[in-house]
Amino acid sequence: MRVAALTVVSVLALAAPSAAQGPASAAGMTVAKLEWGNRPVERTVEDQDSWQRIGEGDPLRTGDRLRTASSGVARLDFPWMAVTLGPSSILSIPPSAVLSTVLEKGRAEFSGAGRDIVKIRVGEGEIRGGGRLVLWREGNRTAAAALDGAFRVTGAGATVEIKAGQGTSMREGEAPAAASELPQAPGGLVPGGDPLFVPSGTRAELHWTPNGTAHHLEVLALQSDDVLLARNVGQPPVEIEIPWLGTYRWRVSARDGRGVESAPSDVGYVCVVEK
C-alpha cells in the first residue's frame, strides 16, 4: 500500500525519453538516476513482482518501484533534489502525468534547496518545505525531522511547522503532534577523531553513548557527505565491515519512541588498510 507521496513542482523531468530509452509507453519517462547503491538495489515495474538488480548510473523512470536490502542504501539524483533511501525501504514513481514519488516504507532523507521544493503526501496529510528532511514510515505512523530549512506538516485539518532542529509525528487520519525538539544526538564515538585502523576484510567495532534503543548508522566518504553504507541498529557496540581501502567517516543518529530521528552525531574515522 502506498503510504507517503513526494510531489514535485518541476515539470522539466517529464520531457520525452530519447529513442535509446524506448517509448514512454514501454519504459516510462526518465526522471532520475541511481547515483549509488550498496548491496542489491532492485527495481520492478508497478503492479508487477519481478524484481531485478540495477546499478549506479541506471536511469529511473515513471512506473518504477525500488527496494533496498536490509543492510542496503541507495542515493537517487533528481534534477531538483537528492534522496537517500535507507535499509529495508521501498520507493516508487507512479506513471502519472503529475510526477510524484511514493515512500511505501522505511527511511528516506530528502534534500532540496529552495522554498517548497519538497512536497510530500502522507496518507491524508501533507508535508511541504525546503531544506533537509528525514522521513520514517512504519505501519501507519510517519515521523518527520527537519535537519535544515523549514517544513509544514498538515493532517486532519491542522498544520504544524517544524524548523531545523524540530520534529513531529502523526498517524493516518490524525493531526500532527506539536513541534518539539529533536532527540539529543548520540556522543562519545569510539573511534572518534583518532582513526581506527582495520585490515581489509575485518569488521570495525563502533561504540557511542546511546540515546534510546533505536539508532541509524552511516558510513560516509572522507571528503563529502555521500552515504556509502547505512544500517538500522540497536544498542552499541556495532560491528561493520567497510569493503574498500581508504579512510572513511562514520556517524550515528537516535530515534525516539515516535520514530523521530535526531540530528547526526559528530563523526569518527575508520581507515581500512591492506592485510
Side-chain angles (χ1 to χ4, degrees):
M1 179 179 67
R2 298 179 181 80
V3 291
L6 169 66
T7 304
V8 282
V9 178
S10 174
V11 297
L12 296 177
L14 294 179
S18 66
Q21 295 167 340
S25 59
M29 293 174 287
T30 299
V31 294
K33 70 176 179 179
L34 179 64
E35 187 71 23
W36 171 262
N38 178 256
R39 300 297 173 93
V41 178
E42 297 178 313
R43 170 172 60 192
T44 188
V45 178
E46 186 167 299
D47 298 330
Q48 297 185 16
D49 196 31
S50 178
W51 294 90
Q52 295 182 341
R53 185 168 182 171
I54 61 174
E56 289 85 1
D58 282 355
L60 306 178
R61 303 181 175 95
T62 54
D64 285 349
R65 297 177 70 218
L66 305 177
R67 71 180 181 185
T68 56
S70 59
S71 57
V73 64
R75 292 202 316 273
L76 316 178
D77 183 21
F78 290 80
W80 53 89
M81 69 174 183
V83 179
T84 300
L85 194 62
S88 300
S89 300
I90 298 179
L91 186 100
S92 61
I93 310 172
S96 59
V98 178
L99 183 63
S100 62
T101 302
V102 179
L103 179 64
E104 299 185 24
K105 71 172 186 176
R107 179 191 188 273
E109 180 175 331
F110 303 94
S111 179
R115 181 178 176 84
D116 285 357
I117 193 68
V118 175
K119 298 188 178 183
I120 306 169
R121 292 292 304 174
V122 184
E124 297 177 356
E126 183 178 76
I127 303 173
R128 292 174 176 248
R132 287 177 61 204
L133 177 76
V134 172
L135 187 66
W136 276 89
R137 182 69 186 186
E138 295 177 304
N140 69 346
R141 183 174 59 186
T142 300
L147 302 184
D148 189 27
F151 299 86
R152 300 184 305 280
V153 183
T154 301
T159 297
V160 170
E161 183 178 18
I162 56 174
K163 299 180 180 179
Q166 296 181 325
T168 186
S169 64
M170 64 180 176
R171 296 182 182 274
E172 289 187 24
E174 298 181 0
S180 60
E181 291 187 4
L182 299 181
Q184 183 178 356
L189 272 63
V190 178
D194 294 326
L196 171 68
F197 288 83
V198 295
S200 177
T202 302
R203 291 178 176 268
E205 187 173 277
L206 308 178
H207 299 254
W208 63 89
T209 302
N211 183 23
T213 59
H215 297 83
H216 181 74
L217 186 150
E218 296 178 333
V219 174
L220 304 95
L222 181 61
Q223 301 295 339
S224 76
D225 286 336
D226 290 343
V227 178
L228 305 178
L229 298 173
R231 302 285 189 274
N232 297 325
V233 298
Q235 298 280 18
V238 170
E239 293 185 346
I240 189 169
E241 181 181 343
I242 301 175
W244 316 284
L245 297 177
T247 302
Y248 301 90
R249 300 178 299 151
W250 74 280
R251 65 188 183 190
V252 63
S253 55
R255 281 189 290 152
D256 65 17
R258 302 170 299 165
V260 177
E261 185 173 311
S262 74
S265 67
D266 293 334
V267 298
Y269 295 86
V270 176
C271 185
V272 182
V273 298
E274 293 182 351
K275 292 183 178 180

